[in-house]
Amino acid sequence: MALIEEIPDRRVHLVTGSNTGVGFGIATRLITLAIESKQPTIVGLLCRTPAKANAAKKQLIQSAAGKFGKQKVDEFVEVSIVEVDLSNAKQVVHAAGEIRERFNRIDSIVFNAGMVPVSHLDIWRGTKAMLRDPTNFAKTTGECIVQKRGGTTKDEFKFGEAFAANFLGHYILLKELEKLLESTSKVLKREGGGIVGSRVVWTTSDTADHDFFDESDFMCLEGSEPYESSKRLIELIHFETAQDLKKKGIYSCLANPGISATDVMQGNVPVFVIVLVLYFLRLLGLRAICVTPFNAAKSGAYLAAEVKDLSKLDQDLSTTAFQSDVSYFGKSRVRMLPLSKKGIKECKGDVCSLGVDVTALRVKMDDLWKKVKESA
């Protein structure tokens, strides 16, 4: 049996923040798909801490071997690790260089990693909010989670903490790996097999309300909701870049993992408390209460690899989010939601509405990328 690197048509799927939570769930689903479809695949774990990544790799392989047998895992799956700290912009550039050296293609990259800069909890306020309006409570950070104001990265750039970890690190990866993604799309076309286009899967959230985003403070250094701001920024940049990427054969997609118990909230929020609240919300009949990270991972894996031809979804991917959901009986599924255009500047002829100029916003993000690249 040839080594997996020697098989020309093996797929390469990369997932950030994949040592735990939803990212680990996406990696699990990609491994399962590779074995069930008998498609040799490399699943790349892009993680900040090597020890945690290696532990996750071991767990992924052992779990797959327990389900399918070691022989099939060895035949169809390789789990690879790339160290990357998304809050360290220069290190992201170096990690992208390592990826280009190690892999000759990227079939998909899932921008899953994220963090909420928790300052402290306001339990009383959160409890009142949940009882007053459980639907709104489920779509926010709960009102009980008070986020840090003005947190910055530890590197020389002093970017907004959540801005860098949730958005900018991923955007730098996209810019640095765009040519490899484009060439992969051409390879997929030559290979046949029905797979159309490489994929970039951004991760948004129900919290991504435009009211939390201020164009003049896009890093949210002054605002009180940096997590929500970063998620709305993801939506805006996806909206602006999706069509240009599609012209290069790259499909940009927006995954929404719904609501689950993960460790994304960097602070003192016990997981068992989150689970209890989520089951209470599910009993109320609210949608997308996935509870487990594995259920929440459905939309990311669906867009990255489960759908062979995204163009057949009959949706404008630039204006659609794909949300993980579960049926009443707990079966994972995906539902499509329209991307809110609230607050986006739109022009018809010479008449333009007020709002964020997403093209100008993209230029600002490109300038930040170039600044980092020049100093890396």
PDB file of all heavy atoms in Angstrom, residues 14-49:
ATOM      1  N   LEU A  14      -8.503  21.270   5.776  1.00  0.00           N
ATOM      2  CA  LEU A  14      -7.883  21.925   6.918  1.00  0.00           C
ATOM      3  C   LEU A  14      -8.960  22.566   7.787  1.00  0.00           C
ATOM      4  O   LEU A  14      -9.919  23.159   7.274  1.00  0.00           O
ATOM      5  CB  LEU A  14      -6.894  22.995   6.452  1.00  0.00           C
ATOM      6  CG  LEU A  14      -5.829  22.554   5.427  1.00  0.00           C
ATOM      7  CD1 LEU A  14      -4.957  23.741   5.039  1.00  0.00           C
ATOM      8  CD2 LEU A  14      -4.988  21.408   5.965  1.00  0.00           C
ATOM      9  N   VAL A  15      -8.782  22.461   9.107  1.00  0.00           N
ATOM     10  CA  VAL A  15      -9.769  23.007  10.049  1.00  0.00           C
ATOM     11  C   VAL A  15      -9.026  23.739  11.164  1.00  0.00           C
ATOM     12  O   VAL A  15      -8.193  23.149  11.855  1.00  0.00           O
ATOM     13  CB  VAL A  15     -10.647  21.901  10.668  1.00  0.00           C
ATOM     14  CG1 VAL A  15     -11.776  22.522  11.499  1.00  0.00           C
ATOM     15  CG2 VAL A  15     -11.212  20.972   9.602  1.00  0.00           C
ATOM     16  N   THR A  16      -9.330  25.016  11.357  1.00  0.00           N
ATOM     17  CA  THR A  16      -8.708  25.746  12.465  1.00  0.00           C
ATOM     18  C   THR A  16      -9.473  25.468  13.761  1.00  0.00           C
ATOM     19  O   THR A  16     -10.664  25.189  13.754  1.00  0.00           O
ATOM     20  CB  THR A  16      -8.688  27.265  12.205  1.00  0.00           C
ATOM     21  OG1 THR A  16     -10.023  27.780  12.198  1.00  0.00           O
ATOM     22  CG2 THR A  16      -8.014  27.593  10.884  1.00  0.00           C
ATOM     23  N   GLY A  17      -8.741  25.552  14.866  1.00  0.00           N
ATOM     24  CA  GLY A  17      -9.366  25.327  16.163  1.00  0.00           C
ATOM     25  C   GLY A  17      -9.980  23.947  16.286  1.00  0.00           C
ATOM     26  O   GLY A  17     -11.076  23.793  16.827  1.00  0.00           O
ATOM     27  N   SER A  18      -9.260  22.937  15.815  1.00  0.00           N
ATOM     28  CA  SER A  18      -9.860  21.605  15.676  1.00  0.00           C
ATOM     29  C   SER A  18      -9.435  20.610  16.746  1.00  0.00           C
ATOM     30  O   SER A  18      -9.709  19.424  16.643  1.00  0.00           O
ATOM     31  CB  SER A  18      -9.523  21.040  14.290  1.00  0.00           C
ATOM     32  OG  SER A  18      -8.180  21.291  13.950  1.00  0.00           O
ATOM     33  N   ASN A  19      -8.787  21.077  17.796  1.00  0.00           N
ATOM     34  CA  ASN A  19      -8.412  20.156  18.862  1.00  0.00           C
ATOM     35  C   ASN A  19      -9.545  19.950  19.869  1.00  0.00           C
ATOM     36  O   ASN A  19      -9.471  19.070  20.731  1.00  0.00           O
ATOM     37  CB  ASN A  19      -7.162  20.650  19.601  1.00  0.00           C
ATOM     38  CG  ASN A  19      -7.382  21.966  20.320  1.00  0.00           C
ATOM     39  OD1 ASN A  19      -7.390  23.009  19.676  1.00  0.00           O
ATOM     40  ND2 ASN A  19      -7.562  21.934  21.632  1.00  0.00           N
ATOM     41  N   THR A  20     -10.604  20.726  19.739  1.00  0.00           N
ATOM     42  CA  THR A  20     -11.712  20.625  20.675  1.00  0.00           C
ATOM     43  C   THR A  20     -12.978  21.212  20.049  1.00  0.00           C
ATOM     44  O   THR A  20     -12.950  21.815  18.979  1.00  0.00           O
ATOM     45  CB  THR A  20     -11.383  21.375  21.989  1.00  0.00           C
ATOM     46  OG1 THR A  20     -12.401  21.117  22.960  1.00  0.00           O
ATOM     47  CG2 THR A  20     -11.310  22.874  21.756  1.00  0.00           C
ATOM     48  N   GLY A  21     -14.104  21.010  20.709  1.00  0.00           N
ATOM     49  CA  GLY A  21     -15.351  21.667  20.339  1.00  0.00           C
ATOM     50  C   GLY A  21     -15.838  21.371  18.936  1.00  0.00           C
ATOM     51  O   GLY A  21     -15.727  20.258  18.422  1.00  0.00           O
ATOM     52  N   VAL A  22     -16.392  22.392  18.296  1.00  0.00           N
ATOM     53  CA  VAL A  22     -16.980  22.238  16.968  1.00  0.00           C
ATOM     54  C   VAL A  22     -15.921  21.836  15.939  1.00  0.00           C
ATOM     55  O   VAL A  22     -16.170  21.009  15.060  1.00  0.00           O
ATOM     56  CB  VAL A  22     -17.685  23.541  16.530  1.00  0.00           C
ATOM     57  CG1 VAL A  22     -18.211  23.419  15.100  1.00  0.00           C
ATOM     58  CG2 VAL A  22     -18.841  23.868  17.478  1.00  0.00           C
ATOM     59  N   GLY A  23     -14.719  22.397  16.037  1.00  0.00           N
ATOM     60  CA  GLY A  23     -13.661  22.047  15.102  1.00  0.00           C
ATOM     61  C   GLY A  23     -13.296  20.577  15.173  1.00  0.00           C
ATOM     62  O   GLY A  23     -13.066  19.925  14.144  1.00  0.00           O
ATOM     63  N   PHE A  24     -13.257  20.034  16.376  1.00  0.00           N
ATOM     64  CA  PHE A  24     -13.002  18.600  16.560  1.00  0.00           C
ATOM     65  C   PHE A  24     -14.139  17.798  15.935  1.00  0.00           C
ATOM     66  O   PHE A  24     -13.910  16.758  15.299  1.00  0.00           O
ATOM     67  CB  PHE A  24     -12.881  18.277  18.051  1.00  0.00           C
ATOM     68  CG  PHE A  24     -12.510  16.857  18.352  1.00  0.00           C
ATOM     69  CD1 PHE A  24     -11.191  16.461  18.405  1.00  0.00           C
ATOM     70  CD2 PHE A  24     -13.501  15.910  18.602  1.00  0.00           C
ATOM     71  CE1 PHE A  24     -10.842  15.144  18.693  1.00  0.00           C
ATOM     72  CE2 PHE A  24     -13.175  14.595  18.881  1.00  0.00           C
ATOM     73  CZ  PHE A  24     -11.836  14.204  18.929  1.00  0.00           C
ATOM     74  N   GLY A  25     -15.358  18.293  16.090  1.00  0.00           N
ATOM     75  CA  GLY A  25     -16.513  17.627  15.477  1.00  0.00           C
ATOM     76  C   GLY A  25     -16.437  17.631  13.960  1.00  0.00           C
ATOM     77  O   GLY A  25     -16.770  16.633  13.307  1.00  0.00           O
ATOM     78  N   ILE A  26     -15.986  18.738  13.377  1.00  0.00           N
ATOM     79  CA  ILE A  26     -15.837  18.811  11.924  1.00  0.00           C
ATOM     80  C   ILE A  26     -14.785  17.814  11.458  1.00  0.00           C
ATOM     81  O   ILE A  26     -14.980  17.090  10.469  1.00  0.00           O
ATOM     82  CB  ILE A  26     -15.461  20.247  11.491  1.00  0.00           C
ATOM     83  CG1 ILE A  26     -16.611  21.207  11.773  1.00  0.00           C
ATOM     84  CG2 ILE A  26     -15.090  20.278  10.006  1.00  0.00           C
ATOM     85  CD1 ILE A  26     -16.262  22.674  11.577  1.00  0.00           C
ATOM     86  N   ALA A  27     -13.652  17.759  12.167  1.00  0.00           N
ATOM     87  CA  ALA A  27     -12.598  16.803  11.811  1.00  0.00           C
ATOM     88  C   ALA A  27     -13.120  15.370  11.891  1.00  0.00           C
ATOM     89  O   ALA A  27     -12.824  14.540  11.015  1.00  0.00           O
ATOM     90  CB  ALA A  27     -11.397  16.991  12.744  1.00  0.00           C
ATOM     91  N   THR A  28     -13.898  15.083  12.917  1.00  0.00           N
ATOM     92  CA  THR A  28     -14.487  13.748  13.070  1.00  0.00           C
ATOM     93  C   THR A  28     -15.374  13.404  11.887  1.00  0.00           C
ATOM     94  O   THR A  28     -15.301  12.299  11.326  1.00  0.00           O
ATOM     95  CB  THR A  28     -15.319  13.674  14.369  1.00  0.00           C
ATOM     96  OG1 THR A  28     -14.475  13.956  15.493  1.00  0.00           O
ATOM     97  CG2 THR A  28     -15.942  12.290  14.541  1.00  0.00           C
ATOM     98  N   ARG A  29     -16.201  14.339  11.483  1.00  0.00           N
ATOM     99  CA  ARG A  29     -17.111  14.106  10.357  1.00  0.00           C
ATOM    100  C   ARG A  29     -16.342  13.942   9.043  1.00  0.00           C
ATOM    101  O   ARG A  29     -16.721  13.133   8.193  1.00  0.00           O
ATOM    102  CB  ARG A  29     -18.111  15.259  10.261  1.00  0.00           C
ATOM    103  CG  ARG A  29     -19.169  15.271  11.381  1.00  0.00           C
ATOM    104  CD  ARG A  29     -20.116  16.448  11.228  1.00  0.00           C
ATOM    105  NE  ARG A  29     -21.172  16.446  12.234  1.00  0.00           N
ATOM    106  CZ  ARG A  29     -22.307  15.765  12.141  1.00  0.00           C
ATOM    107  NH1 ARG A  29     -22.552  15.042  11.059  1.00  0.00           N
ATOM    108  NH2 ARG A  29     -23.210  15.825  13.105  1.00  0.00           N
ATOM    109  N   LEU A  30     -15.271  14.706   8.853  1.00  0.00           N
ATOM    110  CA  LEU A  30     -14.483  14.595   7.629  1.00  0.00           C
ATOM    111  C   LEU A  30     -13.778  13.236   7.546  1.00  0.00           C
ATOM    112  O   LEU A  30     -13.674  12.644   6.471  1.00  0.00           O
ATOM    113  CB  LEU A  30     -13.464  15.731   7.564  1.00  0.00           C
ATOM    114  CG  LEU A  30     -14.034  17.141   7.361  1.00  0.00           C
ATOM    115  CD1 LEU A  30     -12.941  18.184   7.502  1.00  0.00           C
ATOM    116  CD2 LEU A  30     -14.722  17.259   6.002  1.00  0.00           C
ATOM    117  N   ILE A  31     -13.303  12.748   8.681  1.00  0.00           N
ATOM    118  CA  ILE A  31     -12.674  11.431   8.721  1.00  0.00           C
ATOM    119  C   ILE A  31     -13.696  10.344   8.395  1.00  0.00           C
ATOM    120  O   ILE A  31     -13.429   9.423   7.610  1.00  0.00           O
ATOM    121  CB  ILE A  31     -12.027  11.188  10.100  1.00  0.00           C
ATOM    122  CG1 ILE A  31     -10.784  12.065  10.255  1.00  0.00           C
ATOM    123  CG2 ILE A  31     -11.673   9.709  10.292  1.00  0.00           C
ATOM    124  CD1 ILE A  31     -10.199  12.074  11.648  1.00  0.00           C
ATOM    125  N   THR A  32     -14.873  10.449   8.982  1.00  0.00           N
ATOM    126  CA  THR A  32     -15.939   9.479   8.712  1.00  0.00           C
ATOM    127  C   THR A  32     -16.301   9.473   7.235  1.00  0.00           C
ATOM    128  O   THR A  32     -16.441   8.405   6.616  1.00  0.00           O
ATOM    129  CB  THR A  32     -17.185   9.810   9.556  1.00  0.00           C
ATOM    130  OG1 THR A  32     -16.857   9.692  10.944  1.00  0.00           O
ATOM    131  CG2 THR A  32     -18.337   8.870   9.226  1.00  0.00           C
ATOM    132  N   LEU A  33     -16.427  10.658   6.645  1.00  0.00           N
ATOM    133  CA  LEU A  33     -16.770  10.764   5.224  1.00  0.00           C
ATOM    134  C   LEU A  33     -15.679  10.133   4.354  1.00  0.00           C
ATOM    135  O   LEU A  33     -15.982   9.438   3.376  1.00  0.00           O
ATOM    136  CB  LEU A  33     -16.967  12.230   4.852  1.00  0.00           C
ATOM    137  CG  LEU A  33     -17.303  12.513   3.388  1.00  0.00           C
ATOM    138  CD1 LEU A  33     -18.660  11.908   3.023  1.00  0.00           C
ATOM    139  CD2 LEU A  33     -17.330  14.021   3.127  1.00  0.00           C
ATOM    140  N   ALA A  34     -14.424  10.360   4.703  1.00  0.00           N
ATOM    141  CA  ALA A  34     -13.314   9.803   3.925  1.00  0.00           C
ATOM    142  C   ALA A  34     -13.367   8.281   3.907  1.00  0.00           C
ATOM    143  O   ALA A  34     -13.198   7.648   2.852  1.00  0.00           O
ATOM    144  CB  ALA A  34     -11.987  10.281   4.512  1.00  0.00           C
ATOM    145  N   ILE A  35     -13.609   7.681   5.054  1.00  0.00           N
ATOM    146  CA  ILE A  35     -13.633   6.221   5.144  1.00  0.00           C
ATOM    147  C   ILE A  35     -14.866   5.654   4.455  1.00  0.00           C
ATOM    148  O   ILE A  35     -14.779   4.689   3.690  1.00  0.00           O
ATOM    149  CB  ILE A  35     -13.575   5.780   6.621  1.00  0.00           C
ATOM    150  CG1 ILE A  35     -12.229   6.205   7.236  1.00  0.00           C
ATOM    151  CG2 ILE A  35     -13.768   4.260   6.739  1.00  0.00           C
ATOM    152  CD1 ILE A  35     -12.132   5.992   8.725  1.00  0.00           C
ATOM    153  N   GLU A  36     -16.022   6.266   4.692  1.00  0.00           N
ATOM    154  CA  GLU A  36     -17.257   5.743   4.101  1.00  0.00           C
ATOM    155  C   GLU A  36     -17.271   5.894   2.588  1.00  0.00           C
ATOM    156  O   GLU A  36     -17.851   5.065   1.882  1.00  0.00           O
ATOM    157  CB  GLU A  36     -18.463   6.446   4.720  1.00  0.00           C
ATOM    158  CG  GLU A  36     -18.700   6.071   6.187  1.00  0.00           C
ATOM    159  CD  GLU A  36     -19.914   6.749   6.790  1.00  0.00           C
ATOM    160  OE1 GLU A  36     -20.391   7.761   6.215  1.00  0.00           O
ATOM    161  OE2 GLU A  36     -20.381   6.291   7.854  1.00  0.00           O
ATOM    162  N   SER A  37     -16.624   6.931   2.073  1.00  0.00           N
ATOM    163  CA  SER A  37     -16.585   7.145   0.622  1.00  0.00           C
ATOM    164  C   SER A  37     -15.336   6.527  -0.023  1.00  0.00           C
ATOM    165  O   SER A  37     -15.153   6.627  -1.230  1.00  0.00           O
ATOM    166  CB  SER A  37     -16.624   8.640   0.309  1.00  0.00           C
ATOM    167  OG  SER A  37     -15.487   9.296   0.841  1.00  0.00           O
ATOM    168  N   LYS A  38     -14.495   5.932   0.818  1.00  0.00           N
ATOM    169  CA  LYS A  38     -13.241   5.310   0.357  1.00  0.00           C
ATOM    170  C   LYS A  38     -12.373   6.296  -0.415  1.00  0.00           C
ATOM    171  O   LYS A  38     -11.777   5.978  -1.430  1.00  0.00           O
ATOM    172  CB  LYS A  38     -13.544   4.075  -0.497  1.00  0.00           C
ATOM    173  CG  LYS A  38     -14.302   2.990   0.251  1.00  0.00           C
ATOM    174  CD  LYS A  38     -14.555   1.768  -0.630  1.00  0.00           C
ATOM    175  CE  LYS A  38     -15.302   0.690   0.156  1.00  0.00           C
ATOM    176  NZ  LYS A  38     -15.556  -0.529  -0.661  1.00  0.00           N
ATOM    177  N   GLN A  39     -12.320   7.511   0.120  1.00  0.00           N
ATOM    178  CA  GLN A  39     -11.544   8.574  -0.498  1.00  0.00           C
ATOM    179  C   GLN A  39     -10.336   8.918   0.374  1.00  0.00           C
ATOM    180  O   GLN A  39     -10.499   9.462   1.473  1.00  0.00           O
ATOM    181  CB  GLN A  39     -12.397   9.823  -0.691  1.00  0.00           C
ATOM    182  CG  GLN A  39     -11.634  11.050  -1.162  1.00  0.00           C
ATOM    183  CD  GLN A  39     -10.977  10.830  -2.506  1.00  0.00           C
ATOM    184  OE1 GLN A  39     -11.648  10.565  -3.497  1.00  0.00           O
ATOM    185  NE2 GLN A  39      -9.654  10.931  -2.554  1.00  0.00           N
ATOM    186  N   PRO A  40      -9.116   8.601  -0.057  1.00  0.00           N
ATOM    187  CA  PRO A  40      -7.934   8.965   0.728  1.00  0.00           C
ATOM    188  C   PRO A  40      -7.918  10.459   1.046  1.00  0.00           C
ATOM    189  O   PRO A  40      -8.085  11.297   0.145  1.00  0.00           O
ATOM    190  CB  PRO A  40      -6.778   8.572  -0.191  1.00  0.00           C
ATOM    191  CG  PRO A  40      -7.341   7.475  -1.039  1.00  0.00           C
ATOM    192  CD  PRO A  40      -8.768   7.854  -1.286  1.00  0.00           C
ATOM    193  N   THR A  41      -7.740  10.775   2.303  1.00  0.00           N
ATOM    194  CA  THR A  41      -7.908  12.150   2.762  1.00  0.00           C
ATOM    195  C   THR A  41      -6.911  12.499   3.850  1.00  0.00           C
ATOM    196  O   THR A  41      -6.631  11.687   4.733  1.00  0.00           O
ATOM    197  CB  THR A  41      -9.338  12.352   3.320  1.00  0.00           C
ATOM    198  OG1 THR A  41     -10.293  12.117   2.275  1.00  0.00           O
ATOM    199  CG2 THR A  41      -9.528  13.760   3.853  1.00  0.00           C
ATOM    200  N   ILE A  42      -6.389  13.710   3.779  1.00  0.00           N
ATOM    201  CA  ILE A  42      -5.617  14.281   4.879  1.00  0.00           C
ATOM    202  C   ILE A  42      -6.504  15.305   5.576  1.00  0.00           C
ATOM    203  O   ILE A  42      -7.042  16.209   4.934  1.00  0.00           O
ATOM    204  CB  ILE A  42      -4.338  14.973   4.382  1.00  0.00           C
ATOM    205  CG1 ILE A  42      -3.393  13.955   3.745  1.00  0.00           C
ATOM    206  CG2 ILE A  42      -3.623  15.697   5.527  1.00  0.00           C
ATOM    207  CD1 ILE A  42      -2.149  14.571   3.130  1.00  0.00           C
ATOM    208  N   VAL A  43      -6.677  15.147   6.868  1.00  0.00           N
ATOM    209  CA  VAL A  43      -7.392  16.129   7.678  1.00  0.00           C
ATOM    210  C   VAL A  43      -6.349  16.887   8.488  1.00  0.00           C
ATOM    211  O   VAL A  43      -5.637  16.299   9.310  1.00  0.00           O
ATOM    212  CB  VAL A  43      -8.422  15.460   8.610  1.00  0.00           C
ATOM    213  CG1 VAL A  43      -9.060  16.508   9.524  1.00  0.00           C
ATOM    214  CG2 VAL A  43      -9.489  14.746   7.792  1.00  0.00           C
ATOM    215  N   GLY A  44      -6.224  18.172   8.222  1.00  0.00           N
ATOM    216  CA  GLY A  44      -5.223  18.990   8.889  1.00  0.00           C
ATOM    217  C   GLY A  44      -5.804  19.723  10.079  1.00  0.00           C
ATOM    218  O   GLY A  44      -6.793  20.456   9.939  1.00  0.00           O
ATOM    219  N   LEU A  45      -5.208  19.534  11.229  1.00  0.00           N
ATOM    220  CA  LEU A  45      -5.625  20.235  12.443  1.00  0.00           C
ATOM    221  C   LEU A  45      -4.755  21.478  12.596  1.00  0.00           C
ATOM    222  O   LEU A  45      -3.555  21.368  12.858  1.00  0.00           O
ATOM    223  CB  LEU A  45      -5.470  19.331  13.666  1.00  0.00           C
ATOM    224  CG  LEU A  45      -6.065  17.922  13.590  1.00  0.00           C
ATOM    225  CD1 LEU A  45      -5.864  17.195  14.930  1.00  0.00           C
ATOM    226  CD2 LEU A  45      -7.544  17.955  13.221  1.00  0.00           C
ATOM    227  N   LEU A  46      -5.340  22.644  12.427  1.00  0.00           N
ATOM    228  CA  LEU A  46      -4.617  23.902  12.577  1.00  0.00           C
ATOM    229  C   LEU A  46      -4.897  24.428  13.974  1.00  0.00           C
ATOM    230  O   LEU A  46      -5.986  24.947  14.258  1.00  0.00           O
ATOM    231  CB  LEU A  46      -5.060  24.916  11.520  1.00  0.00           C
ATOM    232  CG  LEU A  46      -4.361  24.835  10.152  1.00  0.00           C
ATOM    233  CD1 LEU A  46      -4.531  23.461   9.523  1.00  0.00           C
ATOM    234  CD2 LEU A  46      -4.884  25.921   9.221  1.00  0.00           C
ATOM    235  N   CYS A  47      -3.923  24.274  14.867  1.00  0.00           N
ATOM    236  CA  CYS A  47      -4.149  24.542  16.288  1.00  0.00           C
ATOM    237  C   CYS A  47      -3.010  25.361  16.885  1.00  0.00           C
ATOM    238  O   CYS A  47      -1.883  25.331  16.393  1.00  0.00           O
ATOM    239  CB  CYS A  47      -4.269  23.225  17.059  1.00  0.00           C
ATOM    240  SG  CYS A  47      -5.580  22.133  16.458  1.00  0.00           S
ATOM    241  N   ARG A  48      -3.317  26.030  17.968  1.00  0.00           N
ATOM    242  CA  ARG A  48      -2.333  26.895  18.633  1.00  0.00           C
ATOM    243  C   ARG A  48      -1.361  26.113  19.504  1.00  0.00           C
ATOM    244  O   ARG A  48      -0.183  26.448  19.582  1.00  0.00           O
ATOM    245  CB  ARG A  48      -3.080  27.933  19.487  1.00  0.00           C
ATOM    246  CG  ARG A  48      -2.195  28.904  20.224  1.00  0.00           C
ATOM    247  CD  ARG A  48      -3.023  29.924  20.970  1.00  0.00           C
ATOM    248  NE  ARG A  48      -3.965  29.287  21.882  1.00  0.00           N
ATOM    249  CZ  ARG A  48      -4.859  29.937  22.613  1.00  0.00           C
ATOM    250  NH1 ARG A  48      -4.965  31.258  22.498  1.00  0.00           N
ATOM    251  NH2 ARG A  48      -5.663  29.296  23.422  1.00  0.00           N
ATOM    252  N   THR A  49      -1.849  25.049  20.165  1.00  0.00           N
ATOM    253  CA  THR A  49      -1.046  24.322  21.146  1.00  0.00           C
ATOM    254  C   THR A  49      -0.741  22.915  20.648  1.00  0.00           C
ATOM    255  O   THR A  49      -1.655  22.082  20.557  1.00  0.00           O
ATOM    256  CB  THR A  49      -1.788  24.241  22.489  1.00  0.00           C
ATOM    257  OG1 THR A  49      -2.215  25.549  22.883  1.00  0.00           O
ATOM    258  CG2 THR A  49      -0.887  23.651  23.565  1.00  0.00           C
TER     259      THR A  49
END
